[in-house]
Amino acid sequence: MPMSRAVIATESGARVMNRLCKHWAHKLEVEQGEEQSRVAFEGGSCVMRVEPGKLLVAIEALDDEVLDRLEGVVDSHLQRMAGDEELAIVWEN
């Protein structure tokens, strides 16, 4: 299964992760914790973990096409949930 990871520098990691999980919980299966959360998508999943000064995000998908789509979905939603803070998200395979 293809996988991508991103290390996002932010002091708001917990807030962004919590807002995103609450947003997705209406439509997707979400396991939300204080420091780590998991979201199940059709064809893949996203795990987010908060560490001091950063948010770690990992996406796993059934194939490269789904991985590319999920990167875009997660990226745009993280940016939206961050509000005024602009997140620098670089996906690494």
Side-chain angles (χ1 to χ4, degrees), residues 56-74:
L56 308 176
V57 182
I59 300 173
E60 189 173 55
L62 294 175
D63 58 41
D64 289 330
E65 185 177 318
V66 174
L67 183 64
D68 289 344
R69 182 177 58 80
L70 290 179
E71 284 177 357
V73 168
V74 172

Side-chain angles (χ1 to χ4, degrees), residues 67-92:
L67 183 64
D68 289 344
R69 182 177 58 80
L70 290 179
E71 284 177 357
V73 168
V74 172
D75 191 304
S76 67
H77 280 77
L78 284 169
Q79 295 291 358
R80 190 177 335 155
M81 296 303 146
D84 292 340
E85 180 183 7
E86 188 168 334
L87 303 176
I89 301 173
V90 178
W91 297 104
E92 298 177 5

